[in-house]
Amino acid sequence: MSPAKYQTMGQQEGRRSWAEPWKIKMVEPIHMITREERQHALDEAGYNTFLLRSADVYIDLLTDSGTSAMSDRQWAGMMMGDESYAGSRNFYHLEDAIRSYYGYKHIVPTHQGRGAEQLISKALIQQGDTIPGNMYFTTTRLHQELAGGTFVDVIIDEAHDPSSLHPFKGNVDLNKLQAVIDKVGADNIPYVSLAGTVNMAGGQPVSMANAKELRAFCNQQGIRVYLDATRMVENAFFIQEREEGYANKSIAEILKEFCDLTDGAWMSAKKDNLVNIGGWLAVNHEDVFEKARNMVVIYEGLHTYGGMAGRDMEALAIGIEEMVDDHHVHARVEQVRYLGKLLTDWEIPIVVPAGGHAIFLNAKKFYAHIPQDHFPSQTLAAQLYLDSGVRSMERGIVSAGRNPETGENRYPALELTRLTIPRRVYTQAHMDVVAESVKNIFDSRAQTKGLKMIYEPAYLRFFQARFEPLR
Ligand SMILES: Cc1ncc(COP(=O)(O)O)c(C=O)c1O
């Protein structure tokens, strides 16, 4: 039973069932295709779910990025787009929304998250610098490397263990951070790269206590802390649910308190902010703002649109106002957990506790007979698509890529397949269909063989690599 503040009117009367805090006003039909057609589509896509056409997909759990359903208010806002080249009123609305809910002083809009990652990396990193962080993220690390830096993982050990029930597996290990400082010196660390609801660890949160300790530690060392705020609202929900002293604080209050512990944030607005495109960088220090605002005109667009249309900024500003609704966040995380529970009831190995945005299947355990060099997570994503048209994503050796210095494959401890739930899009019935399909391929797993990579692009290979099945 949900805590009192999340109870539906029926639950307030002692009844069992819970339902989403929204109703559907517009629908997008999806269609089914046959197994032969799915096999053909998979061959054409080189066994990479990123290369499938969405028309060939039934339930699309590739990503929660840019896949949210917007609200009627957001769509109304789209009609209020001020498409002036400079000084659009929608930008000022967006600036106000970021300042009120995240609390940062200076805002630079970008076309999406990686645009902001490029700006912050170029503004702060010098050749040879080290950037410690709570687990890498693909595009974040690449921008840090392209700017001349080296990312070092300082997340707690539990994050690398899919079965650890630690409530805050996204926490930074301060001893690991100290060891990095001892090795390279605080002067060569431009900032700590802190992510909320750590994506690559399975959507695992950082506690407020850990963020406070990190802030105090970094203050002593003279190191700044910048936040990947992409899924910080989900992180706030976990703090509210699990951390002492936060049960009666709102998501908005927790979000603000957490952001106040950092010097700025980059954002893929395509997630928490409930829009299909957009991003931003927000910082407190004038010097960083000055550099980023100057660079944005080179890479993204003028500093009052940064690659977004006026209407996109309006939908984004409204999305920020809607994302902090406690009932919305609760519904979102509960849907993820509903899918997780169906799977764990069937003893299918997933990362626990279930994360904020996705269920991560533990492909190393699922396909224990497939070595990591034969891409178990990629294989699982392909098999799931073949079985039911459900699209998921690899988060294992393919995503980890190669060490830029040695050219060797990186072998991450976590070999996962991500079932990512878009916000406000699918129903419980869709989750039932997904779970049954996962069970079906789990039951026949012994017959499944791995894959061979036959094309590998230079950067972010998971997006475009091609595979063929091992016979
Ligand atoms: C944690 C995290 N950071 C950054 C990004 C990059 O954002 P974008 O895809 O908008 O460029 C993503 C996108 O998936 C993400 O999940």
Side-chain angles (χ1 to χ4, degrees), residues 63-66 111-117 137-140 195-200 228-231 266-271 277-279 357 393 395 418 463:
T63 176
D64 62 334
S65 183
H111 77 287
Q112 61 180 78
R114 68 200 72 178
E117 287 170 346
F137 182 70
T138 51
T139 55
T140 318
T197 320
V198 182
N199 193 353
M200 303 301 282
D228 183 336
T230 298
R231 297 186 184 83
W266 64 91
M267 181 73 189
S268 171
K270 302 168 75 174
K271 282 83 166 178
I277 193 71
H357 66 304
M393 181 205 287
R395 278 301 181 221
R418 191 178 81 175
F463 282 131

Side-chain angles (χ1 to χ4, degrees), residues 7 23 35 47 62-63 66 81 103 112 121 130 149 162 165 196 202 207 299 313 352 376 405 410 412 441:
Q7 285 186 0
K23 57 185 176 177
R35 188 175 180 100
Y47 281 71
L62 182 72
T63 176
Q112 61 180 78
S121 304
T130 297
L165 284 167
S207 70
Y299 299 113
M313 292 190 282
V352 286
E405 267 154 36
R410 292 168 166 131
I441 59 168

